[in-house]
Amino acid sequence: MKKLPKLYKNEINKNITNNKNYCYLNDELPRNNQFSIEEKITKIFNGLGASYNIPVLIRTYNKEYRTSLVSKTKNNLVTLDNEVIKIEDILSLEILK
């Protein structure tokens, strides 16, 4: 068998900072409720990811829902629990973490 030459190994004389620089993108709704309910719903459906993966807390005149939104029509929201909520009945909408 033939003897092979040694491999060349370059010395590293500088600092390597791979993956040290990063940034966070914050595309969340502010906590002070400056958006209307319609704008919050639009932000949920047009944001990154699927809307059914975003937990929300919806308060209406009659009930409080802790669920995720599946679809939106002109006047209604459909939740993951297969409940229909009228948009005009919503008092507040919050995104849960």
Side-chain angles (χ1 to χ4, degrees):
M1 201 177 231
K2 186 176 177 183
K3 191 169 187 178
L4 298 175
K6 292 184 178 180
L7 292 176
Y8 174 72
K9 297 178 187 176
N10 188 14
E11 293 182 17
I12 300 174
N13 295 328
K14 60 183 179 179
N15 291 334
I16 298 175
T17 58
N18 292 346
N19 299 327
K20 295 288 183 178
N21 297 331
Y22 52 88
C23 68
Y24 290 102
L25 298 176
N26 191 358
D27 191 29
E28 297 180 11
L29 296 174
R31 295 282 183 196
N32 59 1
N33 293 331
Q34 69 183 19
F35 290 122
S36 71
I37 292 173
E38 190 67 38
E39 290 172 337
K40 289 180 185 180
I41 294 169
T42 304
K43 189 128 180 141
I44 289 171
F45 283 106
N46 292 341
L48 294 174
S51 64
Y52 55 83
N53 288 334
I54 301 172
V56 294
L57 174 66
I58 301 172
R59 289 187 181 100
T60 62
Y61 294 112
N62 302 328
K63 195 173 177 183
E64 186 174 288
Y65 302 91
R66 286 184 182 268
T67 185
S68 298
L69 301 178
V70 174
S71 68
K72 174 188 177 283
T73 62
K74 188 173 183 179
N75 299 321
N76 299 320
L77 291 174
V78 179
T79 66
L80 195 62
D81 302 327
N82 206 17
E83 296 182 24
V84 178
I85 304 170
K86 289 186 178 181
I87 294 176
E88 62 190 32
D89 291 343
I90 296 175
L91 297 175
S92 68
L93 185 135
E94 297 177 27
I95 296 176
L96 302 174
K97 292 286 178 179

